[in-house]
């Protein structure tokens, strides 16, 4: 039987994850397989006749498409002549312009680029990503779904996500036929939250394209690519069919990226003994060849497969850098939950957050984990505060901002009411005010009133069969009193016609400026260059809702003020040998009234005095005005006590027992962890002080123990409390205090 420590480890969340022994035959290998081809390229008369060890006559459809459309043959001989190490160094050397790296990579075969990326260590991948991402300004994408396809909740959650700063929102459905309703609801909600938020409804490709043609969505990313021909044909697809579909989206003004990522071929039993990185390199080269402006990768649905093998998480990031090096928009995964361990899933994301990406997450779950119809994301609504804190900790832009809590109720209500008005306008459904109230306050779909699945289905069917378009929705919004939202939706439709957001890595700012590789190119060239948040944006990053100032603390403390502690004049030196003096800090009963444990200071004093009296001693309270140091407070009080024994108390709750013949930093007993102290602890301190006064040797009081992050929770409050204490210090002598009973 395993020892206790191993049994305890076995119970940790990380041990719910699956970990695989590396196995090249199954494709369970991250960076390099012995079966990966050696990089090669032969060109004859402007035609590729050999690609990565495969002769033209033996090309599969992926080889053929890349050879014909995916390589810049004018630069290929130069790029392929570089050693892998030479090219890898160019990726991380900030003295080498991004454009030069892109030029050379355009001539690299899939095997060549895979070999190069496999050389980069984690810190080097972060450096390369910082330099190579397409758009200067980082951003983020969120999922908005729910188990019931409830349009009111979808709209409220979309508005909330937009308020938090997500610039793309992706929805999907548990019931395929509900898709038109979901697309309308999320688009309306997004427009309530902010202007310029792009929306996708991830469903079967023909239906998704139809939704785009009718204006209900503005981007797509579910056109999937695979690294082996067998997996491609299993899905009844070829590179040519994917190219046609990609062109179909773009030609109708719908921004489009493809999806791929490590693990997909492994899950389908078609990895052909190749490494995940090599297969993904084929996908990324193909994405460039078919004319997609971007790629969603980094494992995606196969992220947990990649994470199960050695260096798998490193491989996921290498995939992302590969996309950037090919001059495509990078939507860098971090969507599918790749571990039950908070530590592992954070380690997956943190390097990308630090480096910055076109979309750090290709699906941050802005809703509860149980409501995410894509499956739980690596980051979910429960993690929003953590994400905002990480941005602030590192001073980086992860695309999000704090939505003021007081703003969310009216925002969510307006979104739900807008959907209610539109659905009533077209006779889609009569959504009740009671349902609106539930959706506004709901944490997730479990908090809704009922589940009208047929009502949603009928609304979606009516939308699809009636020929309704987003232009009609604009009219309904305007006629129903939602003019600003109508204007925002109409602006998005106009932008579809202009087409600027079809450029690589495009998003809209809240003022509807298109930011892309063309208008906002990444210009990082080393320290002092590249993206730095503006002063206003940095203020958004810094201003998390939990931050507190000294003024906030003063106001909070003032709410607990009372007349229970009053000064009755100067404190004399006592002569009664039974006397124990309780010395308190300068702000006690002036500006600080509540300790870190939540006890009122007067209650703490009453417990200490009661403990002193229990042992037959006399208690007296004085305020030491000239110092906030606990040791000096205790020593000064002991010198006033007839017994020479004192209790020293800072207003924040830290306390000790002192004796007048000891050095200031010495003490008889000490309570140093104020946040965990209870009434009983303070009473015991009073008891022991009285016993010391009688000359007894009591059993020392011990600090209560906790394994919680006490310092993280309270140290910022301590800084403010100490600042208040210092402001109350004066060279005056001690005050005698009267404490209410």
């Amino acid at each position: 039987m395993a020892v206790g420590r191993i049994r305890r480890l076995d119970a940790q969340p990380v041990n719910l994850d699956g970990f695989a022994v590396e196995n090249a035959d199954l494709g369970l290998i991250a960076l390099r397989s012995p079966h990966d081809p050696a990089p090669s390229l032969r060109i004859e008369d402007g035609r590729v006749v050999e690609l990565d060890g495969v002769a033209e006559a033996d090309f599969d459809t992926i080889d053929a498409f890349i050879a014909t459309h995916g390589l810049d043959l004018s630069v290929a001989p130069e790029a392929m002549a570089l050693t892998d190490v030479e090219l890898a160094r160019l990726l991380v050397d900030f003295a080498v312009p991004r454009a030069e790296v892109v030029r050379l990579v355009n001539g690299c075969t899939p095997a060549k680029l895979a070999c190069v990326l496999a050389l980069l260590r984690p810190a080097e991948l972060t450096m390369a990503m910082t330099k190579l991402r397409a758009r200067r300004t980082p951003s983020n994408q969120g999922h908005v779904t729910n188990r019931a396809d409830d349009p009111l909740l979808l709209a409220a959650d979309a508005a909330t996500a937009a308020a938090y700063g997500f610039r793309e929102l992706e929805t999907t459905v548990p019931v395929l036929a509900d898709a038109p309703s979901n697309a309308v609801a999320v688009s309306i909600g997004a427009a309530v939250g902010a202007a310029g938020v792009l929306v996708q409804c991830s469903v079967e490709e023909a239906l998704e394209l139809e939704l785009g043609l009718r204006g209900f969505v503005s981007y797509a990313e579910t056109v999937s690519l695979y690294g082996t021909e067998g997996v491609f044909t299993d899905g009844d697809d070829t590179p040519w069919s994917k190219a046609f579909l990609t062109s179909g989206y773009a030609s109708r003004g719908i921004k489009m990226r493809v999806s791929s990522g490590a693990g997909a071929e492994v899950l389908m039993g078609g990895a052909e003994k190749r490494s995940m990185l090599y297969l993904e390199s084929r996908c990324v080269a193909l994405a460039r060849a078919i004319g997609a402006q971007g790629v969603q990768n980094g494992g995606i649905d196969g992220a947990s497969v990649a994470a199960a093998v050695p260096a798998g998480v490193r491989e996921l990031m290498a995939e992302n850098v590969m996309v950037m090096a090919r001059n495509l928009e990078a939507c860098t995964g971090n969507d599918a939950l790749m571990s039950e361990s908070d530590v592992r899933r954070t380690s997956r994301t943190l390097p990308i957050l630090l480096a910055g990406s076109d979309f750090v997450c290709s699906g941050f779950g802005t809703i509860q984990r149980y409501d995410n119809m894509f499956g739980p994301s690596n980051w979910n609504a429960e993690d929003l505060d953590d994400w905002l804190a990480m941005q602030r900790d590192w001073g980086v832009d992860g695309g999000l901002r704090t939505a003021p809590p007081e703003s969310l109720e009216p925002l969510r209500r307006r979104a739900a009411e807008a959907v209610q008005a539109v659905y009533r306008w077209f006779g889609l459904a009569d959504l009740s005010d009671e349902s609106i109230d539930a959706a506004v306050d709901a944490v997730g779909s479990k908090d809704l009133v009922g589940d009208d699945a047929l009502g949603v289905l009928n609304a979606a069917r009516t939308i699809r069969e009636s020929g309704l378009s987003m232009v009609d929705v604009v009219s309904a919004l305007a006629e129903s009193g939602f003019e600003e939202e109508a204007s925002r939706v109409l602006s998005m439709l106009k932008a579809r016609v202009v087409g600027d957001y079809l450029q690589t890595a495009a998003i809209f700012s809240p003022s509807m400026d298109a930011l892309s590789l063309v208008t906002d190119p990444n210009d990082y060239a080393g320290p002092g260059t590249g993206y730095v948040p503006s002063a206003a944006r940095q203020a958004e990053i810094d201003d998390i809702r939990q931050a507190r100032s000294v003024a906030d603390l003063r106001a909070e403390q003032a709410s607990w003020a009372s007349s229970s502690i009053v000064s009755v004049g100067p404190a004399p030196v006592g002569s009664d040998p039974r006397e124990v003096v309780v010395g308190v800090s300068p702000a006690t009963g002036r500006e600080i009234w509540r300790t870190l444990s939540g006890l009122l200071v007067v209650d703490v004093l009453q417990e200490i005095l009661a403990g002193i009296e229990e042992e037959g001693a006399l208690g007296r309270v004085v305020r030491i005005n000239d110092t906030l140091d606990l040791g000096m407070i205790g020593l000064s009080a002991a010198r006033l006590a007839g017994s020479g024994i004192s209790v020293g108390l800072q207003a924040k709750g830290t306390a000790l027992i002192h004796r007048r013949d000891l050095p200031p930093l010495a003490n008889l007993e000490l309570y140093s962890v104020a946040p965990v102290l209870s009434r009983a602890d303070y009473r015991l301190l009073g008891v022991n002080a009285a016993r010391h006064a009688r000359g007894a040797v009591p059993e020392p009081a011990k600090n209560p123990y906790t394994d919680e992050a006490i310092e993280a929770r309270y140290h910022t409050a301590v800084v403010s409390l100490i600042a208040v204490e210092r402001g109350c210090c004066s060279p005056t002598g001690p005050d005698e205090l009267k404490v209410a009973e």
Side-chain angles (χ1 to χ4, degrees):
M1 181 177 180
V3 298
R5 288 201 175 191
I6 298 301
R7 295 197 302 273
R8 180 61 182 259
L9 285 174
D10 286 343
Q12 300 307 305
V14 69
N15 289 308
L16 295 172
D17 296 348
F19 295 93
V21 174
E22 194 171 75
N23 186 329
D25 288 348
L26 296 178
L28 288 170
I29 187 165
L31 299 174
R32 301 179 185 88
S33 167
H35 304 287
D36 286 347
S40 71
L41 183 69
R42 282 199 305 117
I43 304 169
E44 294 180 1
D45 299 325
R47 183 184 184 93
V48 174
V49 296
E50 181 185 304
L51 178 71
D52 291 336
V54 180
E56 182 180 15
D58 298 320
F59 282 174
D60 64 13
T61 55
I62 300 173
D63 292 326
F65 205 98
I66 292 172
T68 306
H69 304 289
L71 297 173
D72 183 345
L73 299 186
S74 67
V75 73
E78 177 187 357
M80 295 297 289
L82 294 171
T83 68
D84 296 342
V85 171
E86 287 172 334
L87 188 50
R89 289 176 177 174
L90 296 181
L91 267 62
V92 300
D93 186 349
F94 59 73
V96 177
R98 177 184 185 275
E100 175 62 9
V101 173
V102 168
R103 184 185 73 85
L104 291 168
V105 169
N106 281 342
C108 290
T109 67
K112 178 70 170 180
L113 193 54
C115 288
V116 169
L117 267 296
L119 292 173
L120 298 188
R121 289 168 288 193
E124 293 161 347
L125 287 169
T126 304
M127 294 168 64
M129 183 171 284
T130 303
K131 167 181 164 178
L132 293 175
R133 75 169 183 268
R135 189 178 61 246
R136 190 172 187 266
T137 305
S139 189
N140 221 323
Q141 180 201 107
H143 289 164
V144 179
T145 67
N146 65 64
R147 299 186 308 168
D149 284 340
D150 183 273
L152 298 176
L153 184 59
L154 287 168
D157 286 344
T160 302
Y164 270 98
F166 291 96
R167 302 311 298 164
E168 283 189 356
L169 297 179
E170 181 182 16
T171 190
T172 192
V173 290
V175 178
L176 177 61
D178 289 347
S181 176
N182 281 30
V184 170
V186 172
S187 292
I188 292 173
V192 172
V197 178
L198 302 177
V199 172
Q200 175 197 7
C201 186
S202 176
V203 288
E204 182 271 328
E205 291 169 348
L207 177 55
E208 186 169 354
L209 182 56
E210 178 187 333
L211 295 175
L213 293 175
R214 292 164 69 171
F216 296 141
V217 297
S218 43
Y219 81 97
E221 66 180 11
T222 50
V223 175
S224 299
L225 303 182
Y226 303 100
T228 62
E229 186 178 58
V231 174
F232 244 125
T233 55
D234 280 348
D236 197 27
D237 277 313
T238 70
W240 281 268
S241 66
K242 297 296 187 181
F244 294 148
L245 189 56
T246 298
S247 299
Y249 279 109
S251 66
R252 299 303 186 269
I254 304 168
K255 178 184 173 182
M256 191 270 172
R257 70 177 72 93
V258 298
S259 291
S260 53
E265 297 84 3
V266 179
L267 286 169
M268 297 184 202
E272 298 178 358
K273 302 183 180 182
R274 307 300 173 87
S275 71
M276 297 180 192
L277 187 60
Y278 167 69
L279 294 179
E280 183 58 18
S281 190
R282 297 188 88 199
C283 293
V284 174
L286 185 59
R288 182 70 182 172
I290 68 175
Q293 65 84 38
V295 177
Q296 172 188 227
N297 74 351
I300 313 304
D301 292 336
S304 58
V305 176
V309 301
V313 172
R314 176 174 160 187
E315 190 279 337
L316 296 177
M317 189 171 183
E319 293 181 16
N320 302 146
V321 174
M322 187 180 288
V323 172
M324 298 171 180
R326 289 216 183 265
N327 209 30
L328 300 171
E329 174 189 74
C331 211
T332 43
N334 296 302
D335 56 351
L337 183 64
M338 54 75 66
S339 174
E340 288 291 348
S341 163
D342 290 344
V343 175
R344 286 192 77 211
R345 66 188 180 93
T346 302
S347 76
R348 154 83 177 103
T349 303
L350 184 58
I352 297 172
L353 174 64
L354 298 180
S357 172
D358 298 320
F359 293 93
V360 181
C361 296
S362 54
F364 189 121
T366 73
I367 65 291
Q368 302 302 302
R369 283 172 64 159
Y370 68 76
D371 261 335
N372 197 329
M373 294 298 98
F374 293 99
S377 289
N378 211 44
W379 298 87
N380 301 279
E382 301 93 320
D383 305 311
L384 273 168
D385 283 342
D386 296 88
W387 186 275
L388 294 166
M390 286 202 307
Q391 287 186 152
R392 188 178 191 262
D393 290 343
W394 289 95
V396 297
D397 191 340
L400 302 189
R401 60 175 177 263
T402 296
E406 66 277 5
S407 71
L408 292 183
E409 193 280 338
L411 182 78
R412 290 174 65 85
R413 184 168 298 279
R414 186 165 181 84
E417 288 176 346
V419 166
Q420 180 193 52
V422 169
Y423 278 48
R424 283 179 175 174
W425 183 270
F426 294 113
L428 302 176
D430 188 11
L431 304 171
S432 69
D433 292 343
E434 181 186 12
S435 296
I436 286 180
D437 291 339
V440 168
D441 190 58
V443 174
S445 62
K446 293 179 182 179
D447 302 320
L448 298 179
V449 178
D451 182 358
D452 187 10
L454 286 178
V456 174
L457 187 62
N458 288 332
R461 183 180 294 115
T462 302
I463 292 170
R464 191 172 188 187
E465 293 177 355
S466 67
L468 196 71
S469 75
M470 208 60 180
V471 174
D472 301 312
V473 173
V474 170
S475 177
L477 285 168
E479 293 293 335
S480 301
F482 295 91
E483 290 86 358
E484 183 176 5
E485 291 77 12
S487 176
R488 288 176 175 178
V489 175
L490 183 60
S491 294
M492 184 64 72
L493 295 175
K494 291 178 179 177
R496 291 269 299 273
V497 177
V498 174
D500 285 348
Y501 89 117
L502 300 181
Q503 298 288 350
T504 299
I507 57 172
F508 286 111
S509 71
S511 58
M512 291 300 293
D513 295 319
L515 304 179
S516 69
L517 173 64
V518 174
T519 61
D520 185 36
N522 182 16
D523 57 355
Y524 179 79
T529 67
Y531 175 78
V532 176
S534 66
R537 175 62 184 134
Q538 191 63 57
E540 284 185 334
I541 293 169
D542 296 344
D543 188 23
I544 60 175
R545 65 190 181 91
Q546 302 89 342
R548 298 291 184 269
S549 67
V550 175
D552 293 329
L553 181 135
R554 286 183 187 275
E556 181 182 347
Q557 286 289 335
S559 70
W560 299 100
S562 71
S563 58
S564 58
I565 302 173
V566 295
S567 174
V568 295
V573 177
S575 58
D576 192 322
R578 298 174 300 161
E579 181 185 68
V580 175
V581 170
V582 181
V584 299
S585 57
T588 304
R590 285 177 173 151
E591 295 199 33
I592 301 177
W593 299 89
R594 195 167 182 252
T595 69
L596 291 173
S597 69
L599 292 173
L600 295 180
V601 175
V602 65
D603 294 335
V604 170
L605 290 172
Q606 288 170 350
E607 292 294 342
I608 294 172
L609 292 172
I612 292 170
E613 292 173 6
E614 281 179 18
E615 291 296 312
L618 302 175
R620 179 162 65 103
V621 181
V622 303
R623 183 162 50 212
I624 307 300
N625 292 310
D626 61 354
T627 181
L628 56 80
D629 178 78
L630 181 60
M632 284 304 300
I633 290 170
L635 181 59
S636 299
R639 289 172 177 171
L640 294 174
S643 67
I645 298 295
S646 73
V647 173
L649 176 69
Q650 287 180 322
K652 64 186 177 68
T654 311
L656 53 68
I657 300 175
H658 220 303
R659 195 174 68 207
R660 64 181 165 213
D661 61 341
L662 294 176
L665 296 181
N667 58 73
L668 299 175
E669 298 180 26
L670 172 66
Y671 282 159
S672 59
V673 189
V676 298
L677 296 175
S678 67
R679 285 176 174 268
D681 296 317
Y682 288 113
R683 182 175 285 252
L684 178 59
L685 199 67
V687 167
N688 282 3
R691 289 174 179 173
H692 281 292
R694 295 202 328 260
V697 182
E699 181 177 345
K702 296 180 180 179
N703 271 307
Y705 177 75
T706 178
D707 59 359
E708 297 175 354
I710 290 294
E711 293 181 353
R713 190 178 305 178
Y714 293 103
H715 265 185
T716 53
V718 169
V719 171
S720 296
L721 288 167
I722 292 299
V724 172
E725 290 274 25
R726 190 168 295 283
C728 290
C729 287
S730 68
T732 59
D735 294 345
E736 187 91 12
L737 299 181
K738 180 181 179 181
V739 178
E741 296 181 0

